[in-house]
């Protein structure tokens, strides 16, 4: 094992001839696994029936997992930067898989607190460490296309439910929807994810230095040996430490932007299966359980595609402009759903899919937005701290939707009336996020790092799309 520099004692450095194209698949193996979190709504009806839970209570493991994701990413971001992606991916695999096993024990013994502890707390730590584990490494391998590179990897988190949703529904159909069937489903998934995530742990590498990458695609003299070339570089506006980033208004504006965008998306995603069934329960074509699971899969596909399409678009149009689209058009989508009610199923499905594409795109674009503003010096740690916005949204989004729906149901309301109020709340939050995005400006030079970290820092310029 070769290492490079005191900050990467546990990393595996790419040898000569290593292709940077192998790094995104390594990241994908982790993100496709932990993206199972987005399929939690498939487990909500069986858990509510088997354990006698309310809609709000059955959302608790998911909510807590998102809280722990943000907290573990914030507090573990510096450790990930120090110990490298392989260490982080290994920690993620152990925590995420063992969380399923503890949840299986909880379901088998009908001790719901163990499901919450396993899936929410232990698994949530695996989510957070795994989510940020490849980000800074990908940006160092692909400094010329940071939005596209992180989008390819992070799309796996959105696409994880595309696999997990039908797989979970199939396992529950075969093993049963009672407490013992849920337990066996958790057990099978935990073991399967442990094997799959290990592939990423074994495959990931870091570049030899931040200044060069192995160019495996370009043969050297005679075509017999790969040559090492300087990595393409995007202009860097600043090099800012994680500590200094927290002192800038730019960080907190982005925190609000991410929090509002995530709240708007996660409110639908967490309750997707029961929501679509409730919404059209009294229409001429009610939604079956299998169709509701298919709706979850469709949203996962939109979430996944949005992460690569919109993040790649941000490399051309600019980060700020793309967030204007997420927040402004997102508010319009919610307005259309609220006004249409159950009159048009295609409109509901289409608007929800667009919202989830913006939701996924927001996650994939934000690492590049951070790099534009703060440089690559400690972008992984800064990204981890920013994900506390996800923790907040993970509580806020499901709480808004579930609490309002439960209250409206208790008052005798049904169909779209269960959700219309929460949709207007989401519109208000997106407007707040739009305003925060407009306030983003280049970071003041007083926050920049001195040489050697800031040695290549140019005079501050606006990040992509930041001009107003």
């Amino acid at each position: 094992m070769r290492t490079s520099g005191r900050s990467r004692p546990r990393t595996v450095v790419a040898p000569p001839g290593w292709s940077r194209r192998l790094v995104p698949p390594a990241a994908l193996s982790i993100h496709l696994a932990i993206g199972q979190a987005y399929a939690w709504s498939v487990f909500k009806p069986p858990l509510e029936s088997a354990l006698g839970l309310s809609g709000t209570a059955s959302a608790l493991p998911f909510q807590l997992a998102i809280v722990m994701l943000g907290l573990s990413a914030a507090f573990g971001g510096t450790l990930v930067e120090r110990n490298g992606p392989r260490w982080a991916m290994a920690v993620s695999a152990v925590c995420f898989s063992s969380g399923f096993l503890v949840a299986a024990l909880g379901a088998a013994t009908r001790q719901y607190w163990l499901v919450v502890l396993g899936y929410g707390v232990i698994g949530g730590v695996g989510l957070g460490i795994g989510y940020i584990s490849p980000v800074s490494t990908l940006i160092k391998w692909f400094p010329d296309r940071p939005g596209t590179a992180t989008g390819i990897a992070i799309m796996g988190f959105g696409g994880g439910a595309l696999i997990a949703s039908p797989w979970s529904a199939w396992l529950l159909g075969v093993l049963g929807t009672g407490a013992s069937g849920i337990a066996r489903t958790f057990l099978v998934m935990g073991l399967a994810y442990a094997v799959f995530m290990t592939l990423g742990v074994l495959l990931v590498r870091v570049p030899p230095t931040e200044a060069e990458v192995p160019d495996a695609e370009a043969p050297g003299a005679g075509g017999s040996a790969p040559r090492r070339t300087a990595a393409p570089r995007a202009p860097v506006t600043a090099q800012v430490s994680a500590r200094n980033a927290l002192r800038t208004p730019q960080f907190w504006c982005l925190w609000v932007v991410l929090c509002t965008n995530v709240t708007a998306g996660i409110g639908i995603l967490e309750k997707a299966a029961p929501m679509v069934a409730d919404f059209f329960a009294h229409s001429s074509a009610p939604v079956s359980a299998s169709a509701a699971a298919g709706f979850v899969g469709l949203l996962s596909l939109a979430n996944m595609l949005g992460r690569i399409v919109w993040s790649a678009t941000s490399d051309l149009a600019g980060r700020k402009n793309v967030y204007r689209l997420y927040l402004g058009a997102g508010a319009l989508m919610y307005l259309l759903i609220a006004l249409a009610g159950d009159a048009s199923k295609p409109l509901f499905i289409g608007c929800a899919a667009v919202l989830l594409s913006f939701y996924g795109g927001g996650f994939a674009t934000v690492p590049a937005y951070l790099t534009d503003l703060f440089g690559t010096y400690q972008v992984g740690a800064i990204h981890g701290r920013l994900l506390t916005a996800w923790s907040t949204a993970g509580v806020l989004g499901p709480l808004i939707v579930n609490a309002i729906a439960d209250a409206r149901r208790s008052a005798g309301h049904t169909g779209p009336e269960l959700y219309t109020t929460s949709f207007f709340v989401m519109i208000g939050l997106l407007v707040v996020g739009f305003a925060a995005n407009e306030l983003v400006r280049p970071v003041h030079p007083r926050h920049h790092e001195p040489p050697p970290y800031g040695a290549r820092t140019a005079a501050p310029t606006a990040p992509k799309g930041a001009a107003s």
Side-chain angles (χ1 to χ4, degrees):
M1 178 182 298
R2 299 169 53 214
T3 61
S4 178
R6 63 181 181 179
S7 64
R8 300 186 294 180
R10 303 182 190 180
T11 62
V12 177
V13 178
W18 186 265
S19 173
R20 66 178 184 168
R21 294 177 183 175
L22 295 174
V23 181
L28 272 173
S29 71
I30 301 297
H31 278 242
L32 281 171
I34 62 178
Q36 183 279 335
Y38 285 146
W40 178 253
S41 64
V42 175
F43 287 100
K44 283 171 65 68
L47 282 170
E48 290 168 14
S49 176
L51 302 181
L53 305 173
S54 68
T56 302
S58 66
L60 186 57
F62 175 81
Q63 287 177 289
L64 192 54
I66 300 301
V67 170
M68 294 306 298
L69 185 158
L71 293 178
S72 60
F75 290 105
T78 302
L79 288 176
V80 172
E81 287 282 313
R82 182 182 304 146
N83 296 328
R86 173 168 285 192
W87 172 88
M89 289 179 177
V91 170
S92 173
V94 170
C95 291
F96 187 68
S97 301
S98 60
F100 269 101
L101 303 185
V102 174
L105 177 62
T109 58
R110 305 182 69 87
Q111 298 293 316
Y112 187 57
W113 68 272
L114 281 174
V115 178
V116 175
L117 173 65
Y119 191 93
V121 178
I122 301 173
V125 172
L127 287 177
I129 299 299
Y131 188 87
I132 64 172
S133 59
V135 170
S136 63
T137 302
L138 284 165
I139 289 174
K140 290 170 185 175
W141 278 107
F142 297 90
D144 51 326
R145 288 173 289 173
T148 303
T150 56
I152 289 173
I154 293 176
M155 78 173 180
F157 194 88
L162 190 63
I163 299 170
S165 180
W167 184 34
S168 300
W170 180 79
L171 285 173
L172 289 169
V174 171
L175 301 175
T177 57
S180 61
I182 296 171
R184 289 193 290 267
T185 299
F186 283 153
L187 176 62
V188 170
M189 296 183 78
L191 295 175
Y193 281 133
V195 174
F196 187 66
M197 295 174 78
T198 300
L199 298 176
V201 174
L202 297 176
L203 187 61
V204 72
R205 300 288 190 277
V206 298
T209 70
E210 294 187 25
E212 57 181 29
V213 298
D215 186 4
E217 292 73 42
S224 59
R227 59 183 170 87
R228 201 175 298 278
T229 61
R233 289 197 170 273
V236 176
T237 61
Q239 296 290 350
V240 182
S241 68
R243 174 178 294 184
N244 282 340
L246 294 179
R247 300 170 180 169
T248 66
Q250 288 83 355
F251 177 89
W252 295 107
C253 284
L254 283 185
W255 193 98
V256 172
V257 166
L258 185 63
C259 184
T260 54
N261 193 56
V262 172
T263 300
I266 212 168
I268 288 181
L269 193 57
E270 183 274 335
K271 202 175 173 66
M275 178 185 288
V276 71
D278 289 340
F279 218 81
F280 297 97
H282 303 298
S283 68
S284 59
V287 177
S288 65
S290 60
F295 177 64
V296 175
L298 177 64
L299 294 187
S300 300
L301 178 62
N303 186 356
M304 178 182 69
L305 293 178
R307 291 171 187 246
I308 182 59
V309 171
W310 297 126
S311 61
T313 300
S314 78
D315 283 337
L316 301 174
R319 324 301 172 195
K320 190 169 188 177
N321 288 331
V322 170
Y323 272 97
R324 284 169 172 152
L325 175 67
Y326 299 156
L327 300 161
L332 178 61
M333 294 298 105
Y334 263 119
L335 181 62
L336 289 175
I337 294 175
L339 294 179
D342 61 358
S344 174
K345 192 179 296 182
L347 177 66
F348 177 89
I349 294 172
C351 288
V354 172
L355 280 165
L356 265 295
S357 78
F358 292 160
Y359 169 81
F363 281 120
T365 309
V366 82
Y369 208 163
L370 291 172
T371 302
D372 291 345
L373 291 167
F374 304 111
T376 60
Y377 170 43
Q378 290 189 338
V379 68
I382 297 171
H383 185 219
R385 287 158 172 77
L386 189 74
L387 291 182
T388 54
W390 194 356
S391 294
T392 304
V395 174
L396 192 59
L399 182 62
I400 290 170
V401 174
N402 285 294
I404 292 176
D406 287 346
R408 301 283 286 176
R409 196 186 306 276
S410 298
H413 295 282
T414 59
E417 293 179 353
L418 296 173
Y419 302 100
T420 303
T421 301
S422 61
F423 289 169
F424 281 107
V425 173
M426 297 300 181
I427 292 172
L429 290 173
L430 288 169
V431 171
V432 171
F434 190 94
N437 185 53
E438 293 303 303
L439 296 176
V440 173
R441 296 291 186 273
V443 175
H444 194 280
R446 70 173 177 271
H447 298 294
H448 295 184
E449 287 297 297
Y453 301 115
R456 292 188 299 272
T457 302
T461 58
K464 283 194 173 185
S468 299

